[in-house]
Amino acid sequence: MGPETSDERLMLAFRAGDARAFEVLVRRHRTPVFNFILRFTGHRARAEDVLQETWLKVVRSAPEYEAKAKFTTWVYTIARNLCVDSARKESYRQAASLEAPTTGTEGDEGRPLGEALPDEGVSPERGAYNARVRPLLERALASLPEEQREVFILREYSGIPFKEIAEVTAVSENTVKSRMRYALEGLRRRLAELGVDGDLAEDGRTVAG
C-alpha cells in the first residue's frame, strides 16, 4: 500500500479485510475532515466526537461500500450529515436549558476556534497576518447561514470541487456555486464590518488554508 494507492482502492481493500488500508485512509484524511467538522460545529469537543462517529460509520458501512463515487465525497457526506445531526441536537439542548455549560475540552474554554485548528506551514509574515485575521474569519464564517458556510468550508478549506460538493450536500452544482457566491459576499461584508480588508475581503482565501 504505497502513497500512490488511491483512496478508493484502499477502501475496497479495507472492505476485503485489510485493516492497514483503513489506517492509511485515516492518516490521509483525519486532519482535513476534522478541520471541516470543527469549522462546521464551532466546538472542539463536539468536533472530536463527530470525527470519531464519522470513522466509526466508515467502518460500519464498509461492507456496503462501492467505488461509485470518490472516497472523499463519500466520507465528507458522512461527516456533513453527522454535523447536521449534531447541530440539531445541540439546538434542542440549548432550547431545553438556557444554562447549558460552554462546550469544550478541559482547558479549551474560551479558546478561539482558529487556535484549535492545525497550523499549516506558512511564511512568518503571512503567519502573523493569519494569527490576527483568522479569528475574525471564523467569526465571519459563524455568521453565515449553514448552507453557505458548509459550501465555503468544503471548497476553500478542504479543496473539494463544486461537483463533489453538490453530491455531498445533495443539491445541484449551480446551487452550490450560488451559495458560494453568497458566502463570499457575506464574508466580505462581515469582515469589512470587523475592519479587515485586502486579499481576504477580495476573495476569501487569504487564511483559508
Side-chain angles (χ1 to χ4, degrees):
M1 293 290 176
E4 72 284 353
T5 305
S6 72
D7 294 334
E8 293 73 31
R9 287 183 60 189
L10 287 168
M11 190 62 200
L12 290 173
F14 175 58
R15 187 185 71 178
D18 187 348
R20 292 174 300 173
F22 179 73
E23 294 172 0
V24 174
L25 285 169
V26 172
R27 284 199 300 271
R28 282 184 185 178
H29 298 287
R30 185 187 187 284
T31 296
V33 172
F34 177 71
N35 285 350
F36 164 69
I37 295 170
L38 181 57
R39 287 187 169 99
F40 193 110
T41 63
H43 297 78
R44 187 175 183 84
R46 203 188 322 160
E48 290 171 347
D49 289 342
V50 172
L51 179 68
Q52 184 176 17
E53 291 177 27
T54 297
W55 291 117
L56 284 173
K57 189 156 187 176
V58 168
V59 171
R60 292 168 182 158
S61 302
E64 293 80 40
Y65 174 80
E66 295 181 11
K68 293 181 179 179
K70 291 184 65 176
F71 173 80
T72 49
T73 303
W74 186 62
V75 75
Y76 275 102
T77 300
I78 291 173
R80 183 256 182 186
N81 290 340
L82 288 171
C83 283
V84 171
D85 289 343
S86 175
R88 288 171 181 162
K89 292 175 183 176
E90 183 64 20
S91 177
Y92 174 79
R93 283 195 292 267
Q94 289 178 353
S97 175
L98 297 177
E99 297 181 357
T102 301
T103 304
T105 55
E106 184 178 354
D108 272 347
E109 289 79 1
R111 185 183 184 190
L113 174 61
E115 293 182 10
L117 297 169
D119 185 21
E120 307 292 341
V122 294
S123 67
E125 295 81 5
R126 181 167 177 177
Y129 180 76
N130 289 358
R132 178 177 65 84
V133 174
R134 183 177 292 172
L136 300 178
L137 177 61
E138 303 302 342
R139 285 173 59 186
L141 273 174
S143 71
L144 293 177
E146 181 180 290
E147 66 272 11
Q148 294 176 22
R149 185 171 69 252
E150 68 180 2
V151 168
F152 181 87
I153 295 170
L154 286 168
R155 177 65 175 175
E156 299 300 332
Y157 289 96
S158 301
I160 306 297
F162 286 129
K163 183 178 180 180
E164 288 184 50
I165 296 174
E167 296 178 40
V168 170
T169 57
V171 297
S172 71
E173 188 172 349
N174 284 338
T175 298
V176 167
K177 291 179 179 178
S178 176
R179 290 177 179 178
M180 183 66 179
R181 184 174 66 253
Y182 286 128
L184 288 172
E185 290 173 356
L187 284 174
R188 291 189 192 106
R189 184 168 55 252
R190 180 60 176 146
L191 287 167
E193 293 172 357
L194 294 171
V196 178
D197 54 14
D199 293 340
L200 180 60
E202 286 299 316
D203 60 18
R205 297 182 61 96
T206 297
V207 296

